[in-house]
Amino acid sequence: MNSEQLADSSKERPVSSTFRPVQEAPSHTPMRYGLAVPLLGILLLGAHTLRTGDVWLTSFVVTIFCLALTRQGWARLVTAAVLFGASLLWVRTGISLVHMRMMMGQDWLRLAAIMGGVSLFSLTGAGMLLSAPARARYMRHAATAVPQAAAFMVCALLLLVSRDQATRVTLLLSDRFFPGSGMLQIVLMSIYAAVVCGLLLDNRKARRVRAATWAFFSAVFFGQLALGLAGVERLLMTGTLHMPVPALVIAGPLFRGDGFFMLILFSVSVLLVGPAWCSHLCYIGAWDDRLSRVRKGAPAPLPAWAGTVRAGIAVTVFGTALGLRLAGASLGLALALAAAFGLAGVAVMMACSSRAGTMAHCSAFCPLGLAGNLLSAVSPWRLRINDRCTRCGACTRVCRYNALAPCQVEKGRPALSCSLCRDCTTVCAHGAMELTFFRASPAFSKRLFVVLVSSLHAVFLAVARI
């Protein structure tokens, strides 16, 4: 072939179609048959729980087995954690059986070898799930796998401990209708926590998801209350009714002198997630959020004296509760005043929040919200505005807690009424709104906060009864 023919052939066959770039082989091939070891490890655990006769614990293990079959990144880590726990269980069971055989004077070496082998098999399965091929297989939502797995495990741990320690009441609803089924509810609520965590970490979805999950929690809470009062008594936690007015979390113990459970729960929540109780966990706050969204457009700022009014309301409510106790007032009078105050709060939502687009009840009326804002001073969470802020006003236009007026943006920090809802952080195009936790990076702080708040949301939802 001469030079002219070469030139013609090059015209007929373009370089782009003839010479294609060589695709690099992936550094790690997805695990296929290697998944058999972790799955067999889970099946061994399930066989053990079934042999003990605990069908509901077996359902927990079966759910984990099903998670392992998915391609969710967080499911890989959860399954690995369960297998690691299974290896410890086999060691503990083996020690117990060996000790029993030694006491009976029977041979125990073969038993010890078998149990040690089973424990090592489970541990190997956990290690395989942490390998690079496993990461290649479980690629879905890999970027948020660690925080989602953490949310699953935190939720599961909190519910397990709460279920074990609640000796006077049956805490989980499933245990009330189907005794022993709490383990199934725990694993399902933990999956829910992991899913919510992943959604809240997505800035494109976080605002809508927070509002939707918060409203869902409130609907479950009051739905169970309504059904309980209608006669389904198992939906109520105890025989003593707690009126669902947030201010009574503090005012109730001041009047009664006892009943500190809700106050302790509130205080621990504030310590863990700061004032986010008011934007994620309060059963009444979701109403204010819904009504504030009736008004279209940016929320209108509340008057400058709104904070002073809320402080005055808080002093009046808590002082009245203590005064009623000292005066020996009847429970009927206290309940009547509490009901009137609760209805006044609903009126504020309907008359003010729906018109202003700002959550007037939470920002200028609720005494518990003020307590949460003040107690958050001992919480390590802070929302800061860094020097990348351009004063574009995007954060002000989405803040429904009256916390990001232009004057506050100039100061570089939100007002006291900030509830760490994080709506502002999701719309800031410049990365100027930062949630910080001690000296940790904003990225780590965000993930830790979302893990905690999504776990607590799932736990509160699981025990959403009065």
Side-chain angles (χ1 to χ4, degrees):
M1 182 179 290
N2 56 32
S3 59
E4 293 181 358
Q5 290 174 323
L6 285 172
D8 293 339
S9 64
S10 65
K11 293 178 181 179
E12 294 173 0
R13 302 175 66 183
V15 173
S16 60
S17 62
T18 305
F19 301 97
R20 297 179 181 177
V22 177
Q23 294 183 354
E24 296 183 0
S27 57
H28 301 288
T29 56
M31 67 187 304
R32 292 183 176 87
Y33 302 109
L35 191 60
V37 175
L39 291 179
L40 284 174
I42 295 295
L43 288 176
L44 282 173
L45 180 62
H48 173 70
T49 58
L50 186 61
R51 184 175 178 274
T52 62
D54 195 335
V55 177
W56 295 111
L57 184 57
T58 303
S59 69
F60 180 101
V61 178
V62 169
T63 305
I64 298 298
F65 180 86
C66 294
L67 278 178
L69 295 176
T70 70
R71 293 183 177 270
Q72 297 291 330
W74 63 270
R76 172 180 66 90
L77 299 177
V78 168
T79 307
V82 171
L83 283 171
F84 178 76
S87 69
L88 299 180
L89 174 65
W90 294 124
V91 170
R92 179 183 176 185
T93 304
I95 292 174
S96 177
L97 293 175
V98 166
H99 180 72
M100 182 176 65
R101 287 207 171 188
M102 291 177 67
M103 293 291 292
M104 299 173 63
Q106 298 178 351
D107 176 61
W108 54 269
L109 287 176
R110 185 172 62 178
L111 172 64
I114 293 174
M115 297 304 295
V118 174
S119 177
L120 183 60
F121 186 82
S122 298
L123 195 59
T124 301
M128 293 180 69
L129 287 173
L130 299 178
S131 65
R135 289 196 296 272
R137 182 191 186 277
Y138 292 89
M139 286 297 295
R140 292 181 181 174
H141 304 103
T144 58
V146 173
Q148 285 185 273
F152 179 101
M153 288 183 275
V154 170
C155 178
L157 180 62
L158 289 175
L159 288 176
L160 283 169
V161 172
S162 300
R163 181 178 184 242
D164 182 66
Q165 296 299 316
T167 56
R168 294 188 298 174
V169 295
T170 304
L171 196 62
L172 297 180
L173 187 63
S174 58
D175 280 331
R176 298 185 177 201
F177 289 92
F178 307 99
S181 64
M183 290 302 299
L184 180 59
Q185 183 180 1
I186 287 174
V187 70
L188 294 177
M189 294 307 303
S190 300
I191 292 173
Y192 172 77
V195 173
V196 170
C197 177
L199 293 172
L200 289 178
L201 286 172
D202 187 342
N203 283 348
R204 298 169 301 175
K205 303 176 181 178
R207 290 173 59 203
R208 297 192 305 273
V209 170
R210 181 186 68 85
T213 54
W214 193 16
F216 175 56
F217 163 67
S218 181
V220 170
F221 182 92
F222 283 101
Q224 292 187 9
L225 171 62
L227 291 173
L229 295 178
V232 188
E233 295 182 359
R234 278 184 289 185
L235 291 173
L236 301 178
M237 187 175 293
T238 68
T240 303
L241 181 63
H242 169 79
M243 188 172 291
V245 178
L248 296 187
V249 170
I250 297 176
L254 285 175
F255 172 73
R256 297 190 303 267
D258 58 13
F260 294 94
F261 172 77
M262 284 297 298
L263 181 57
I264 293 173
L265 183 64
F266 169 73
S267 301
V268 171
S269 300
V270 171
L271 181 63
L272 289 175
V273 294
W277 163 285
C278 297
S279 56
H280 295 79
L281 306 173
C282 178
Y283 39 84
I284 286 290
W287 294 20
D288 203 20
D289 179 69
R290 288 286 102 186
L291 286 170
S292 70
R293 296 175 189 273
V294 171
R295 182 182 186 271
K296 302 301 180 182
L302 297 179
W305 43 261
T308 304
V309 170
R310 184 165 68 153
I313 292 174
V315 171
T316 301
V317 169
F318 299 146
T320 299
L322 185 59
L324 289 174
R325 177 187 175 189
L326 296 176
S330 65
L331 178 61
L333 175 60
L335 288 176
L337 292 175
F341 182 77
L343 292 174
V346 174
V348 169
M349 298 179 203
M350 299 179 66
C352 302
S353 300
S354 61
R355 294 181 180 180
T358 301
M359 297 170 64
H361 173 272
C362 296
S363 304
F365 183 82
C366 179
L368 188 65
L370 178 60
N373 292 137
L374 294 174
L375 288 174
S376 65
V378 301
S379 171
W381 298 104
R382 295 291 183 272
L383 183 67
R384 303 191 187 282
I385 306 172
N386 62 35
D387 56 7
R388 291 194 295 272
C389 179
T390 63
R391 310 299 191 268
C392 67
C395 57
T396 303
R397 289 191 293 271
V398 299
C399 180
R400 298 185 181 276
Y401 286 90
N402 199 45
L404 287 172
C407 61
Q408 292 298 143
V409 176
E410 289 293 335
K411 293 179 181 178
R413 63 179 185 274
L416 180 65
S417 57
C418 174
S419 68
L420 297 184
C421 69
R422 296 192 314 114
D423 284 359
C424 57
T425 66
T426 65
V427 299
C428 181
H430 312 286
M433 310 297 296
E434 293 182 342
L435 183 64
T436 61
F437 179 79
F438 291 119
R439 295 183 179 273
S441 67
F444 176 83
S445 300
K446 171 187 174 181
R447 290 190 167 205
L448 178 60
F449 179 83
V450 172
V451 166
L452 291 175
V453 80
S454 56
S455 302
L456 287 175
H457 163 72
V459 170
F460 278 41
L461 182 62
V463 296
R465 283 170 302 287
I466 294 179

